[in-house]
Amino acid sequence: MEDIEDMLAGAPAGFRLPISASVGVNPKKKIKQPSSFQHFLTPLPSPKIPGTQVIYIKTFGCSHNQSDSEYMAGQLSSFGYALSDNADEADLWLINTCTVKSPSQSAMDTLISRCKTAKKPLVVAGCVPQGSRDIKELEGVSIVGVQQIDRVVEVVEETLKGHEVRLLNRKTLPALDLPKVRKNKFVEILPINVGCLGACTYCKTKHARGHLGSYTVDSLVGRVRSVVADGVKEIWLSSEDTGAYGRDIGVNLPILLNAIVAALPLDGSTMLRIGMTNPPYILEHLKEIADVLRHPCVYSFLHVPVQSGSDAILSAMNREYTVGDFRTVVDTLTELVPGMQIATDIICGFPGETDEDFAQTVNLIKDYKFPQVHISQFYPRPGTPAARMKKVPSTSVKKRSRELTSVFESFTPYNGMEGRIERIWITEIATDGKHLVGHTKGYMQVLVVGPGSMLGTSAIIRITSVGRWSVFGEVIETLNSTKDNVESKERSDRSENCCSLSNLEESCACAGELDACACGHESCGGLNLTEENGGSLSKSGSWADDRSNLNVFGWLLRKRKNHQTTKLEDDSLQHIARQESAAGAHMWTAVDRLLLGGICASFLTILALFLYFASNILSS
């Protein structure tokens, strides 16, 4: 099987072209057919019109994988496909896979087997096919590579026709502005780079995601502005290693973070969560990152994997830092950022790990009592150096995992918080269906009771009780996430900057969006709202509604004013124009006068010609 590569280079997202069977497409033979090459190329008939089938999407793995699935879902939905959580009713299954741990791949194998048994068309995406394209479970299956998600519509269409398609190789990153269907409409998972600079001996992900490739600061900030306008309330920066961002394009993580924070709403209605970062790449930027984490629109939370408390094991893992480096990261951020919370990861039973090595790991966790620790057993991943190392007996691995889990669960990080007043951001419904889930600035999970209309809002709560994994609170006040008192105050403080405008978007210091202008109707009031083409929007609303003036001059002028009014995309601006119209209808611009003068001159010329020809006819 050859890979289809760059066959539709430059085709816009959602643009559909047939994929030639001669370039990497295998029609699947369902039954024994005559040995006719032409018949072999004939695709199976589709029971439905292309683009109308139902697609089931299942995602394994990290937030980056979740974002990829949301992008693929968005393109399929935009093209007309229906999305369903019910696998049985779907016409095709799309499985987005993870290669980090054996259990994830085992679950994928089970799902693929189930799909084949059900005789459903299948597309497999994600890290497993990208990093291990030749495994037997993927025989006869269509594949979408991690950098080919913008071509998922092509693959789905051809698979539904009975073809096997494989798109794997590419050197450019998928665009960030592709259509997207978010699993949670209030949360945007934003990939800032793919791949990493590390070479951990146990990691399979780099085989799939490759070397570091970063999106530009401008493209990421543009995406942030877009999703905020779309109503997103949390932005998660995601990648294989957030701290390594930009080292391939001459920038760094603090530069990006400061640019993104500057694009967030001033009222704190949208929060930023910085993704997982390994210690080596943030050591030189700790103070700059601490400054960002203190910002009111950024969660005081960071996921920093340590993996082991033993320098010997970290060296065997090729993690490129020491336990002392990790402690420096934690100590510095905890000192500089009030309420700072750090989560970490531990691998139990890495090859060569002794009881002493493990004891050092336990002591590290006890020292810091992290509120979140992700504990996993070592799983050898095929093709990695660690898979060839001498393994720790599985009984010892399981025992160490249980022991560390017991230590972690003995912590009571939220004790004594009853009665504390906190601001939370509410973005989802709890699994019990009764509570809403919010997070404090330190990303502590808070469960509250309230109507579904509170989703996407911020609230002031009082903590009433605490549990091991979260706390419970009662809502004191719900804050309007679009125009609360904080926003009003900040805008009114700056309204003096908005009182003289020739171009609303450029000159209004309050915001780039029309409805965000703090000037108000009076302070923006005697202005000339100039369009890009130089025409005036001045005070013209009444022209479009004046139906009594039916003469030709009035009609032409109304048409011109009407044309201008349709260019006002913002309802509030139309309202301003209508309010101004009564006072300013008599104020004509030079273009108005020229238009009227031209019409009058034309009329007089026609009248003069008519009289001239009439007099000639009469005289003859």
Side-chain angles (χ1 to χ4, degrees), residues 36-42:
S36 165
F37 182 72
Q38 181 61 39
H39 190 84
F40 181 74
L41 289 178
T42 303

Side-chain angles (χ1 to χ4, degrees), residues 213-441:
S214 302
Y215 287 96
T216 65
V217 172
D218 288 345
S219 65
L220 291 166
V221 171
R223 180 65 181 177
V224 167
R225 295 185 190 277
S226 174
V227 301
V228 168
D230 199 30
V232 162
K233 301 303 176 185
E234 277 189 13
I235 299 173
W236 299 359
L237 302 187
S238 178
S239 77
E240 283 62 58
D241 186 356
T242 302
Y245 169 79
R247 290 173 178 257
D248 57 320
I249 58 174
V251 293
N252 57 43
L253 183 61
I255 291 173
L256 173 66
L257 295 179
N258 283 301
I260 289 178
V261 166
L264 295 177
L266 295 171
D267 61 354
S269 58
T270 301
M271 295 294 287
L272 178 69
R273 193 184 86 171
I274 303 174
M276 185 274 289
T277 179
N278 289 312
Y281 306 113
I282 61 170
L283 278 167
E284 62 189 273
H285 301 302
L286 283 178
K287 291 186 177 180
E288 295 97 323
I289 292 175
D291 288 341
V292 174
L293 290 167
R294 285 196 300 267
H295 192 280
C297 295
V298 181
Y299 285 120
S300 304
F301 170 83
L302 200 59
H303 178 194
V304 186
V306 64
Q307 304 300 6
S308 176
S310 165
D311 283 340
I313 297 302
L314 291 178
S315 178
M317 292 178 172
N318 197 27
R319 289 290 287 169
E320 301 179 343
Y321 60 87
T322 65
V323 176
D325 293 333
F326 174 78
R327 287 182 180 271
T328 297
V329 170
V330 176
D331 293 342
T332 303
L333 294 180
T334 302
E335 177 186 355
L336 296 179
V337 184
M340 183 69 196
Q341 297 290 319
I342 291 178
T344 194
D345 299 346
I346 296 292
I347 297 176
C348 291
F350 188 82
E353 183 184 66
T354 64
D355 289 340
E356 175 59 28
D357 293 326
F358 177 68
Q360 293 177 31
T361 299
V362 173
N363 290 335
L364 179 69
I365 300 303
K366 286 181 177 179
D367 286 346
Y368 288 102
K369 294 182 171 58
F370 298 106
Q372 297 181 39
V373 179
H374 309 115
I375 302 168
S376 63
Q377 300 173 30
F378 170 75
Y379 294 100
R381 306 303 297 135
T384 62
R388 300 188 295 271
M389 297 178 182
K390 185 177 180 180
K391 298 175 181 58
V392 175
S394 59
T395 53
S396 297
V397 175
K398 293 177 182 178
K399 179 182 177 182
R400 291 172 184 174
S401 176
R402 288 192 297 268
E403 180 181 342
L404 188 59
T405 300
S406 178
V407 168
F408 166 64
E409 291 181 349
S410 69
F411 303 153
T412 53
Y414 307 130
N415 275 7
M417 289 189 174
E418 294 88 347
R420 181 182 294 186
I421 305 298
E422 295 276 358
R423 181 179 181 180
I424 64 170
W425 290 263
I426 302 170
T427 56
E428 59 183 316
I429 300 174
T431 53
D432 63 6
K434 300 177 182 178
H435 292 87
L436 303 178
V437 180
H439 291 92
T440 66
K441 189 177 187 304

Side-chain angles (χ1 to χ4, degrees), residues 25-235:
V25 179
N26 278 353
K28 300 175 183 176
K29 294 190 292 184
K30 299 289 185 180
I31 59 175
K32 187 71 174 179
Q33 299 288 356
S35 57
S36 165
F37 182 72
Q38 181 61 39
H39 190 84
F40 181 74
L41 289 178
T42 303
L44 296 176
S46 176
K48 297 182 180 180
I49 298 172
T52 63
Q53 290 89 342
V54 178
I55 310 296
Y56 166 72
I57 301 178
K58 175 66 176 178
T59 306
F60 295 95
C62 64
S63 61
H64 197 160
N65 261 22
Q66 181 63 50
S67 177
D68 286 351
S69 289
E70 292 175 354
Y71 273 125
M72 289 189 286
Q75 293 170 86
L76 292 167
S77 178
S78 295
F79 210 75
Y81 290 103
L83 306 177
S84 175
D85 292 329
N86 187 336
D88 295 331
E89 74 176 13
D91 298 301
L92 177 141
W93 292 11
L94 172 58
I95 304 174
N96 196 3
T97 61
C98 174
T99 190
V100 171
K101 299 178 182 179
S102 294
S104 296
Q105 189 160 337
S106 296
M108 176 209 75
D109 295 343
T110 300
L111 198 58
I112 289 176
S113 177
R114 179 184 162 198
C115 184
K116 290 180 177 179
T117 301
K119 301 186 184 305
K120 300 273 190 179
L122 173 65
V123 175
V124 177
C127 293
V128 171
Q130 188 73 61
S132 306
R133 65 187 72 182
D134 296 324
I135 60 176
K136 64 178 181 179
E137 287 80 8
L138 298 179
E139 292 179 1
V141 172
S142 289
I143 289 174
V144 180
V146 294
Q147 292 188 29
Q148 297 277 21
I149 59 173
D150 54 350
R151 296 173 67 181
V152 67
V153 171
E154 304 167 43
V155 178
V156 165
E157 285 198 304
E158 294 302 321
T159 303
L160 285 167
K161 294 175 184 177
H163 297 155
E164 176 190 343
V165 182
R166 295 196 167 198
L167 297 177
L168 288 169
N169 299 323
R170 192 175 185 177
K171 295 180 181 179
T172 57
L173 300 177
L176 291 172
D177 58 355
L178 295 169
K180 197 171 193 180
V181 174
R182 301 183 190 91
K183 186 177 181 181
N184 183 332
K185 69 177 183 178
F186 299 111
V187 177
E188 167 74 4
I189 304 172
L190 179 60
I192 63 173
N193 54 262
V194 299
C196 67
L197 295 175
C200 300
T201 56
Y202 58 85
C203 184
K204 184 78 171 179
T205 303
K206 189 166 184 177
H207 292 214
R209 295 284 184 179
H211 197 67
L212 180 68
S214 302
Y215 287 96
T216 65
V217 172
D218 288 345
S219 65
L220 291 166
V221 171
R223 180 65 181 177
V224 167
R225 295 185 190 277
S226 174
V227 301
V228 168
D230 199 30
V232 162
K233 301 303 176 185
E234 277 189 13
I235 299 173

